[in-house]
C-alpha cells in the first residue's frame, strides 16, 4: 500500500506541475523589462525593491510587478502600494492556473487584458479576490464562451443602468450602489471577467456617427477570438446587444491597453503608459481614409498633426490624432462615412473633408487670425 500511495502521490504531483506549466508562462517581454529598467535606473520605491528581492515572491510574480511598474501612471504608483499590485498579480495567476481555460490564454492576452486591475479611470479597489470567490463556482464546468455569458448575468444581478457624469466608479462601488452608467457597468464587467482569468477590455465609441451620444461596452476573449457584449445586459449568445445596428454604422471604436501592445489591431496612439487600438472592423465595414498634408507651395509637411473628426454634438470631435509621415501622409481605418480633417503644424492649419472614396489633401493655408467659411455635405 505504501508503494502504491507513493506512486499515486508522485503522479498527482507530476499532473499538478504539468498543468501549471500550461498556464501563463511569461508576463514580461524584453521590451517591457527594458522599459522598467530605464524608468527605475536611478531609484525605485523601497517597497517595490524589497518585493523584487524577496525569496517569498516567485519569478513570475516579479515579472508581473516589473511589467505593471514599467507602465503605471504616477497617481497609481502613489495611491497604491506594491503589495496591492502583488496581490492582484497573484489573483490573476491563480485564476490562470485554476480555471480550465488558463492554459489556452496566450501570454500577450494575459499580460494586457487579465493582469491589470485598472480598466478606465476608476478608483482602484480590492474587488478581484471578492469577484473570483463569487464567480468561480458559478461558472464551474462551463465552456469559456458560456462562462462569459454567465459572468455577465451575475453582473446584471448586481447593477443596473443610471446616467452620471462623475469619475468612473470602481467595481466595488458599482456593486454597493447597484447603479452605473455604461462606462461603470463595462468597467465592472471587465473586472469580473478578468478575475476569473478571461481576457477582457472596455470598448468605447467616442461618438456615434448617427446620433449625438457615445457608448462603452465589453469585449471578451475566448479560444482565439474576441466577442462583444453589453455590460450588465445579458443575452443568450455572444455578439448580440441592443447596439448591434448602431455599431454596424460606427465610424470609430477603440480601446486602451496597458503598456506596449503588439496585437493585430491598428495602433491609434502609443505613449509611455498605454496603447490605444482601433477595433472598428470588429463591428462595421471599414476602409482606409488617406490624408496628405501640404504647405501653400504644395510641399509635404512631415510631422504635421492630423485630427480625424466626426461631426457630433454640434462640433467636429477628434476621434484620433496622428502625425504625418515624411511624405506628409497619414491614414486611419474607419467606418464607411465622411470625416472632417483638421491639420496643423503649430503655425498654420487647414481643413478638408475625407472618406475612403475621396482621400483628402489638406493645405496649411490659415493662421489663427484667419476668417473663413467651409461648406460640407457630411454622410
Amino acid at each position: 500500500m505504501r508503494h502504491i500511495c507513493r506512486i499515486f502521490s508522485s503522479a498527482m504531483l507530476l499532473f499538478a506541475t504539468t498543468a501549471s506549466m500550461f498556464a501563463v508562462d511569461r508576463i514580461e517581454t524584453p521590451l517591457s523589462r527594458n522599459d522598467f529598467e530605464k524608468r527605475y535606473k536611478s531609484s525605485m520605491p523601497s517597497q517595490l525593491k524589497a518585493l523584487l528581492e524577496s525569496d517569498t515572491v516567485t519569478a513570475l510574480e516579479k515579472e508581473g510587478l516589473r511589467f505593471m511598474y514599467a507602465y503605471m501612471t504616477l497617481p497609481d504608483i502613489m495611491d497604491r502600494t506594491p503589495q496591492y499590485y502583488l496581490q492582484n498579480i497573484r489573483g490573476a495567476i491563480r485564476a490562470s492556473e485554476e480555471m480550465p481555460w488558463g492554459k489556452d490564454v496566450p501570454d500577450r492576452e494575459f499580460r494586457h487584458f487579465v493582469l491589470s486591475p485598472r480598466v478606465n479611470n476608476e478608483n482602484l479597489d480590492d474587488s478581484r479576490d471578492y469577484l473570483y470567490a463569487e464567480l468561480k463556482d458559478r461558472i464551474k464546468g462551463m465552456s469559456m464562451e458560456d462562462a462569459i455569458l454567465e459572468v455577465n448575468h451575475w453582473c446584471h444581478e448586481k447593477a443596473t443602468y443610471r446616467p452620471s457624469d462623475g469619475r468612473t466608479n470602481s467595481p466595488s462601488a458599482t456593486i454597493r450602489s447597484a447603479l452605473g452608467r455604461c462606462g461603470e457597468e463595462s468597467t465592472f464587467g471587465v473586472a469580473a471577467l478578468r478575475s476569473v482569468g478571461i481576457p477582457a477590455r472596455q470598448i468605447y465609441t467616442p461618438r456615434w456617427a448617427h446620433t449625438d451620444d457615445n457608448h462603452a461596452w465589453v469585449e471578451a476573449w475566448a479560444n482565439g477570438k474576441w466577442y462583444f457584449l453589453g455590460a450588465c445586459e445579458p443575452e443568450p449568445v455572444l455578439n448580440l446587444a441592443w447596439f448591434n445596428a448602431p455599431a454596424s454604422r460606427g465610424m470609430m471604436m477603440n480601446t486602451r491597453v496597458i503598456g506596449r501592445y503588439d496585437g493585430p489591431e491598428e495602433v491609434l496612439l502609443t505613449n509611455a503608459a498605454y496603447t490605444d487600438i482601433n477595433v472598428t472592423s470588429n463591428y462595421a465595414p471599414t476602409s482606409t481614409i488617406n490624408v496628405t498634408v501640404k504647405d501653400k507651395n504644395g510641399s509635404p509637411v512631415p510631422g504635421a498633426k492630423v485630427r480625424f473628426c466626426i461631426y457630433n454634438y454640434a462640433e467636429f470631435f477628434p476621434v484620433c490624432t496622428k502625425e504625418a509621415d515624411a511624405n506628409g501622409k497619414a491614414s486611419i481605418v474607419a467606418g464607411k462615412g465622411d470625416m472632417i480633417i483638421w491639420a496643423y503644424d503649430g503655425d498654420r492649419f487647414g481643413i478638408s473633408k475625407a472618406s475612403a472614396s475621396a482621400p483628402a489633401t489638406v493645405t496649411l493655408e490659415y493662421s489663427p487670425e484667419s476668417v473663413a467659411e467651409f461648406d460640407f455635405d457630411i454622410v
Side-chain angles (χ1 to χ4, degrees):
M1 267 316 271
R2 186 179 299 123
H3 296 299
I4 294 173
C5 290
R6 187 175 299 144
I7 293 169
F8 180 74
S9 298
S10 299
M12 288 298 290
L13 179 62
L14 178 62
F15 176 80
T17 304
T18 303
S20 177
M21 286 174 63
F22 281 96
V24 60
D25 184 43
R26 298 289 299 178
I27 296 176
E28 271 188 312
T29 65
L31 184 57
S32 69
R33 180 64 179 263
N34 185 57
D35 287 341
F36 174 83
E37 290 175 349
K38 283 197 302 184
R39 186 171 189 180
Y40 298 100
K41 187 175 183 180
S42 57
S43 64
M44 71 174 70
S46 58
Q47 292 183 53
L48 175 60
K49 188 172 186 290
L51 289 178
L52 292 176
E53 295 175 351
S54 173
D55 293 336
T56 64
V57 181
T58 70
L60 193 60
E61 291 166 355
K62 289 175 183 178
E63 284 189 19
L65 282 168
R66 286 192 293 265
F67 179 82
M68 292 289 294
Y69 273 86
Y71 304 112
M72 206 180 299
T73 61
L74 185 59
D76 283 353
I77 293 173
M78 300 300 294
D79 289 347
R80 289 288 186 167
T81 67
Q83 189 63 45
Y84 167 81
Y85 294 107
L86 177 60
Q87 179 183 345
N88 274 275
I89 290 164
R90 284 174 170 165
I93 294 172
R94 173 194 60 207
S96 174
E97 292 175 343
E98 295 182 1
M99 292 291 104
W101 44 77
K103 65 184 183 302
D104 300 321
V105 176
D107 291 348
R108 182 184 67 196
E109 277 64 33
F110 177 85
R111 77 172 65 95
H112 290 290
F113 303 111
V114 175
L115 186 70
S116 176
R118 175 161 297 292
V119 180
N120 191 298
N121 65 347
E122 76 278 12
N123 290 311
L124 294 179
D125 63 13
D126 298 310
S127 63
R128 189 186 288 261
D129 289 344
Y130 167 77
L131 293 169
Y132 182 75
E134 287 285 306
L135 290 165
K136 65 176 182 177
D137 291 332
R138 181 158 174 161
I139 60 175
K140 189 174 182 179
M142 292 183 177
S143 68
M144 205 172 183
E145 291 86 349
D146 286 343
I148 293 168
L149 293 169
E150 190 61 31
V151 168
N152 201 33
H153 271 278
W154 182 86
C155 291
H156 172 64
E157 294 168 8
K158 300 298 180 183
T160 190
Y161 179 80
R162 183 182 70 178
S164 68
D165 292 316
R167 179 178 178 177
T168 305
N169 280 336
S170 69
S172 297
T174 300
I175 292 172
R176 285 195 298 268
S177 68
L179 298 168
R181 55 182 168 80
C182 62
E184 291 162 335
E185 289 183 317
S186 53
T187 296
F188 177 37
V190 168
L193 289 162
R194 288 180 180 179
S195 77
V196 292
I198 296 175
R201 57 197 188 187
Q202 183 187 58
I203 305 302
Y204 181 59
T205 180
R207 301 292 169 99
W208 287 123
H210 68 288
T211 186
D212 288 347
D213 208 345
N214 53 28
H215 192 47
W217 59 92
V218 174
E219 278 188 355
W221 184 97
N223 301 312
K225 183 178 179 180
W226 286 99
Y227 298 89
F228 69 86
L229 55 153
C232 304
E233 299 167 349
E235 297 285 357
V237 294
L238 296 168
N239 290 350
L240 178 63
W242 67 262
F243 53 84
N244 277 60
S248 72
R249 302 193 297 273
M251 289 290 289
M252 173 57 60
M253 283 151 275
N254 56 24
T255 187
R256 180 158 291 179
V257 189
I258 181 175
R260 297 178 187 261
Y261 176 68
D262 61 349
E265 300 89 348
E266 178 192 19
V267 172
L268 299 173
L269 169 70
T270 185
N271 63 24
Y274 56 82
T275 306
D276 282 349
I277 58 174
N278 184 350
V279 298
T280 310
S281 59
N282 291 356
Y283 302 90
T286 58
S287 54
T288 302
I289 296 177
N290 294 296
V291 176
T292 302
V293 183
K294 296 184 176 182
D295 61 22
K296 289 193 294 185
N297 298 319
S299 300
V301 184
K305 301 296 182 184
V306 182
R307 288 183 176 176
F308 295 84
C309 304
I310 291 175
Y311 181 70
N312 194 278
Y313 278 122
E315 66 176 339
F316 297 124
F317 183 80
V319 295
C320 178
T321 300
K322 291 197 172 186
E323 189 171 291
D325 65 15
N327 298 312
K329 296 183 181 297
S331 65
I332 191 173
V333 175
K336 301 281 190 175
D338 294 336
M339 283 188 167
I340 300 302
I341 311 301
W342 191 81
Y344 62 101
D345 65 358
D347 296 318
R348 307 190 74 80
F349 68 92
I351 298 175
S352 183
K353 185 179 79 169
S355 66
S357 59
T361 297
V362 182
T363 302
L364 305 187
E365 55 185 320
Y366 303 104
S367 67
E369 297 79 24
S370 299
V371 176
E373 287 187 2
F374 303 91
D375 231 356
F376 294 124
D377 289 327
I378 300 173
V379 177

